[in-house]
Every structure is written in structure tokens, then in C-alpha cells.
Amino acid sequence: MNSPFTAETLLFERSRPRPEALRVLYGFPNTYSVGITSLGYQLVWAQLASRPDVAVGRLFTDVQESLPRDPELVGFSFSWELDYGNLLALLEQLGIPIWQRDRDNCHPLVFGGGPVLTANPEPFADFFDVILLGDAEPLLDPFLTTMAQVRSAPRSQQLDALAQVPGIYIPSLYQVSYNGTSGRIEKIAPVKANVPATVTKQVHRGNTLAASTVVTPRAAWEKIYMVEVVRSCPELCRFCLASYLTLPFRTPSLETLIPAIERGLAVTDRLGLLGASITQHPEFPALMEHLRQPQFAHVRVSLASVRTNTVTESLAQLLSQRGSQSLTIAIETGSARLRQVINKKLETEEILAAASHAQAGGLKGLKFYGMVGLPTETDADVEATVDLFRQLKKTALRLRLTLGCSTFVPKAHTPFQWWGVQPVAEKRLKFLKKELAKLGVEFRPESYHDSLIQALISRGDRRLAPLLEQVRRYGTSLGSYRRAFKELRGQLPDFEAYVTEHWPEDTILPWQHLQSGLPTKTLQNHLQRALAIA
């Protein structure tokens, strides 16, 4: 098979590294087709590869570029929790100890970034020397500049220097104390006086967001050019990591967005508009009008999930004309009460109107995101979801309806981080599958067991690292995790303490020393508002 790198069309100028350039390996712990489809990975790689003071090679689980010898930095973009096993395997292939404590001056510094590590790096903290919290745009330059200044110093001095850079977290410079080996966290504190007590994520505030730096037929979305239309989301649904973690809500102006789109359309006819709530860009209608012009008639346009009450017949018509068969909207639940609890500002009439507009605009299908096990959810709330689809079938007879449904997972830095997974969610997934089948609605549930594993990692602390390493030998099923918990009993809290328990609001959280969004007091106020509605 030909190397996938030869099929790439680059949309930036790759520099020729100077002889003294910093030697970097930059990896994605999955296959090339998955990794190269990550806009975050593309963005960081292009920033590295466009610098003459950096010599960088890419690394995936199935392919690698020509890698610099004796790298000084080995980095990973970490987008999905369960990719950690691939990450550790790649370190082993490179001959690098997986444990930070086992590395010495002969080894490169291992760094990581991305949404998983910005949210809660603690389960993986002992695998990394350096963690970058927040947006890459303001972080990469000071990280590389500082590293270049101390590249000849001993490892300990390099880490001390990097710890002074805003947004750079050095896990080994913080000590976590517990109330016994299996008790709760008592204290998280820096081990040196000059190390900041709190590390704050860095936020990109410029007038441009990310756009593809490479287009390739070997990506998971073939030949797609991606443009980030918004970053974060103003809605603040109380379970939503994508909203709370990436605040504030940012939008580029059309003066920068349109040229970015047209750069990509010079090399491909597939356009993906990305963001948690792209139709809330203040100039979104004008952007759609721009893409409606005849010169874009050949372009296939796809949108990320859009806010339900912004779906118009005009939008549906444009997407239908530009090759899209369906549209995806997030409703979470058919229960009006529960939507209030989670701060989903959406009325049932607006959901029905979106379906009517989608059908009138010529779309063939409508995909919904839903969730079970949300805080305070009852059986009646789940029955309300079935009733909503009953109404949708009457409203839009010709539409193919699909519900993708997950189990609520508590995420760090959100108001529901103290609320555990509800075991009754498994039964409710089965109920929805049975009832929606009667209506002819396609039901696509996410694995309940996988959601439990996600929750474990989402709320985990450093004591999980030995367990995660051990699970690699058993496979990644829920049974493998339970087996590892049994073998490590007494060395960490039990599975339920991490996953299903509701934590008191005065609990010292594993990520207490990392500021990645709103202050804890504000999150507590948001939680109390939710429970007051319930």
C-alpha cells in the first residue's frame, strides 16, 4: 500500500528545518485515517511543521513519517479517553518508558494536549511529563520557545522552567494526598514554592479559528475540508463538556471565515462546517447565502449538529441542494421538564417545526441526539421521548428519523460533575429501543458499558493509572476493568465510588488545581438551579 502521506494536499507551507531545530515527534494514538480527520491534530501539526526551528515527524498506530533521531519532545493529541492504550503502545515502540518516573535525561519529554487532557488529565498524569491545558494557538509558541531555551539543561530544570509558562501543567510537580489509600482526596499541592498552586487553561481570542491544513482521500471523511465556524457554545447545557470546557463562545467574522472556506474549496469540493452550535454564529444566514451562489453548486456541504430552533426551510433546502441527505440536531430528551433541568432552552413546538422545515426543504432524514440517565430523570421523562417521536412521525411523514442515544456521563468542569451515572439508564435504553421500533424510528444506542468506562476516566484521579495500565493486558471490556479493580482492591476507591456515586459538593475534585472554565462556586450555583427545577 502506498504511504498515505503521498496523497496529501497541504494548505500551508512546510518549512525546511534548520540544523539546530528542536526535534519533535507528534503522534495521534489511533490510525492515520482517524487522526488526520482531527482538526485539532491538523492545526498543531501545521504549526510545528511550518516552523524552521522545529523538525517534526508524525506518528500514528499504523504508519509514521521519517522521524527525527533522538527526539527531544514526543507529543500526542488526545481526543478520546480509550485511546490511552494505543498511546502507551506507541511509547513502548519508541523505547520510551510509559511511566514518567522511569524517564531520565536520556529520554525525551512526553507532552500531550487535547480535550481529554484539558478536561481531566489526572488518570493519565503519571504517563506525561508535560500537559498543555486549553487552546493550542496561545500555548505552542511559549512552550517551544521555553523548551528551546532549556533544551541543554537537566530534565528537572526543563520541567521547572516549563511549569512557569501559563497553561503548562507538570504533573510531577504536584503532590496528591489521600484519606487512606482508598479514601477521598485530602489535598493537592505543588511540591515547590515557585510552582503555581493553580494552572489555568489558555484561551485563543483571535478573529480566526481552525481550518484544515491538509486535505486527503485517506481521511475518515474523504477529501473533506473542515472549517471551525464557532468555538464553544453559549447555551451552557449543564451536562455539556464541549460548552463549559471551551468557554468563552467565539466566532470569527465573515471577513476571515469566507476566505478560509475558499482556500479549501480551491482543492476539494467537500466542505465541513464545524462547531458545537454553528447556526448561532451571528452571521450564519449570510454565510449560507454566500454558499448558495452558483459557483458553489458542485460543493457538498455538511454541518455539525445545529441548534434545533435555527433549522429553517431555507437551510434545509440549501443542504439538500449541496448533497446532504439529513441534518443532525440535539434534543437530549422529549421531556419539557427535564430539558429545563439541563438548561436545554428548547420547546417541543420548536422540535416539531424543525422536522417540518427539514422535510419541506427536501431533506430525507433527521438525526437526533438524545440521552438517558440525566440527573433527576424519571420513567415519565423517558416515556415523553417516545411520545415526542410519535408526534414527529405525524408532523413529518416522509422523513427518516434516527435517534442516537447515550447514557449521561458526568464530565469535569460542568455543573453535573458531582452527579454519578444512574444504573437505571441501561433499562431505559432497552425501553427506548423497544418502543421506538414500533414507530419505525431507527435507534442507535451507545454502549452503556462504554459509558461506565467513560465516567470512570472522566472522574478519575491518579490512582487509576496502574489500573489503566493493567487493563491493557485483559482487553478493554467493562469486565476487564472490574477484574483490575478486584486485583487492586485496597489501593484505590472501588468502581462505584468513581462512577455511580453522587459526590458531596465540598469534595476535593481530582482536577481542583486546574482551572478550565467557570469557578467551582459558579458551577455549584448552576447545579442548585437545576435541582430547584426538579
Side-chain angles (χ1 to χ4, degrees):
M1 181 182 291
N2 293 332
S3 167
F5 303 117
T6 61
E8 294 178 337
T9 299
L10 299 188
L11 296 166
F12 70 100
E13 189 172 343
R14 196 167 186 176
S15 287
R16 182 183 296 275
R18 294 194 288 260
E20 72 280 9
L22 199 63
R23 301 180 300 280
V24 181
L25 307 187
Y26 186 50
F28 193 95
N30 210 305
T31 62
Y32 172 85
S33 67
V34 172
I36 207 62
T37 311
S38 163
L39 190 53
Y41 181 83
Q42 286 192 26
L43 173 71
V44 174
W45 169 64
Q47 288 194 37
L48 294 170
S50 61
R51 296 175 63 121
D53 59 346
V54 172
V56 61
R58 286 175 291 169
L59 178 67
F60 302 90
T61 56
D62 57 346
V63 66
Q64 63 185 43
E65 285 184 306
S66 177
L67 302 177
R69 294 183 61 187
D70 301 319
E72 298 159 272
L73 292 170
V74 173
F76 294 94
S77 179
F78 202 3
S79 300
W80 188 50
E81 295 97 334
L82 299 186
D83 272 345
Y84 78 85
N86 293 333
L87 191 152
L88 298 183
L90 287 171
L91 288 177
E92 289 171 336
Q93 289 174 28
L94 295 168
I96 300 170
I98 65 171
W99 299 103
Q100 179 274 333
R101 62 178 178 265
D102 293 336
R103 300 176 198 136
D104 57 29
N105 291 330
C106 299
H107 296 114
L109 294 185
V110 177
F111 73 93
V116 170
L117 295 176
T118 296
N120 177 21
E122 291 306 284
F124 313 104
D126 289 338
F127 303 135
F128 287 94
D129 299 294
V130 180
I131 292 172
L132 280 58
L133 299 179
D135 294 333
E137 292 95 336
L139 272 167
L140 269 181
D141 187 65
F143 171 50
L144 295 169
T145 300
T146 303
M147 185 61 197
Q149 292 168 353
V150 296
R151 66 192 300 189
S152 300
R155 189 182 198 85
S156 60
Q157 291 182 26
Q158 292 176 347
L159 296 176
D160 284 349
L162 290 169
Q164 307 309 314
V165 179
I168 292 186
Y169 173 44
I170 311 298
S172 61
L173 296 182
Y174 294 80
Q175 183 173 12
V176 185
S177 305
Y178 306 96
N179 181 15
T181 53
S182 59
R184 295 199 181 277
I185 296 172
E186 286 190 334
K187 186 179 180 183
I188 305 171
V191 299
K192 297 180 180 181
N194 68 333
V195 175
T198 302
V199 185
T200 301
K201 76 160 189 185
Q202 297 302 286
V203 175
H204 170 56
R205 298 184 183 274
N207 190 35
T208 59
L209 295 180
S212 287
T213 59
V214 57
V215 171
T216 173
R218 303 287 287 275
W221 298 334
E222 184 179 350
K223 291 186 178 179
I224 196 163
Y225 176 76
M226 299 173 287
V227 178
E228 190 180 19
V229 177
V230 301
R231 189 171 294 183
S232 194
C233 175
E235 294 304 310
L236 294 181
C237 295
R238 293 178 175 129
F239 61 86
C240 184
L241 182 68
S243 184
Y244 278 86
L245 185 69
T246 57
L247 288 170
F249 182 60
R250 286 148 286 165
T251 61
S253 67
L254 283 195
E255 284 73 19
T256 60
L257 199 52
I258 286 176
I261 288 172
E262 292 181 345
R263 276 196 304 276
L265 294 183
V267 299
T268 185
D269 59 2
R270 289 201 62 189
L271 174 65
L273 301 179
L274 306 187
S277 189
I278 62 175
T279 49
Q280 287 179 276
H281 188 292
E283 298 176 285
F284 186 78
L287 176 60
M288 291 297 99
E289 283 306 308
H290 181 79
L291 293 173
R292 199 183 291 275
Q293 296 178 87
Q295 66 263 37
F296 302 117
H298 66 292
V299 175
R300 182 177 174 188
V301 179
S302 56
L303 305 185
S305 176
V306 302
R307 183 155 172 76
T308 308
N309 59 4
T310 60
V311 177
T312 63
E313 183 176 338
S314 175
L315 173 62
Q317 188 178 61
L318 173 64
L319 293 174
S320 178
Q321 292 168 351
R322 296 294 183 266
S324 288
Q325 297 292 313
S326 65
L327 190 62
T328 302
I329 59 178
I331 56 168
E332 316 314 340
T333 173
S335 164
R337 180 200 72 85
L338 194 53
R339 287 198 298 270
Q340 279 191 295
V341 171
I342 65 177
N343 201 37
K344 191 80 179 179
K345 297 181 272 293
L346 185 61
E347 300 296 331
T348 298
E349 292 74 19
E350 293 172 317
I351 301 171
L352 298 175
S356 179
H357 294 156
Q359 179 173 275
L363 292 174
K364 300 290 189 282
L366 200 53
K367 299 176 182 177
F368 297 88
Y369 285 140
M371 199 175 286
V372 294
L374 286 159
T376 79
E377 180 187 79
T378 65
D379 286 344
D381 294 318
V382 185
E383 290 163 5
T385 298
V386 177
D387 185 61
L388 172 63
F389 276 91
R390 200 172 284 119
Q391 295 178 66
L392 284 165
K393 292 293 288 187
K394 294 176 182 176
T395 301
L397 287 170
R398 299 190 305 275
L399 276 186
R400 183 178 64 254
L401 303 180
T402 303
L403 175 62
C405 193
S406 61
T407 297
F408 163 75
V409 171
K411 296 291 186 178
H413 310 287
T414 70
F416 290 157
Q417 62 187 354
W418 293 279
W419 196 281
V421 174
Q422 294 196 67
V424 72
E426 185 173 24
K427 181 180 78 171
R428 288 174 178 164
L429 285 172
K430 293 175 181 176
F431 172 80
L432 285 176
K433 180 180 180 180
K434 177 183 175 183
E435 295 302 314
L436 292 178
K438 297 175 184 176
L439 299 175
V441 175
E442 184 179 358
F443 185 58
R444 297 178 182 173
E446 288 188 13
S447 163
Y448 172 73
H449 288 179
D450 284 353
S451 295
L452 295 182
I453 296 168
Q454 272 191 49
L456 170 67
I457 295 174
S458 294
R459 297 211 293 177
D461 55 47
R462 293 190 185 187
R463 290 171 291 185
L464 280 188
L467 180 135
L468 295 178
E469 199 279 328
Q470 193 153 328
V471 165
R472 290 199 300 154
R473 304 172 198 157
Y474 306 150
T476 55
S477 69
L478 179 62
S480 299
Y481 283 86
R482 291 196 179 279
R483 175 182 173 186
F485 264 99
K486 190 177 296 185
E487 293 178 358
L488 295 172
R489 183 174 292 146
Q491 299 176 44
L492 74 170
D494 61 25
F495 182 85
E496 285 70 26
Y498 287 113
V499 175
T500 59
E501 279 188 12
H502 298 340
W503 292 351
E505 289 178 44
D506 60 356
T507 300
I508 295 177
L509 302 167
W511 49 90
Q512 196 95 352
H513 55 309
L514 308 174
Q515 183 59 46
S516 293
L518 298 178
T520 299
K521 186 64 179 173
T522 303
L523 296 179
Q524 290 171 335
N525 289 340
H526 288 195
L527 174 63
Q528 291 310 316
R529 276 186 235 161
L531 298 181
I533 294 168

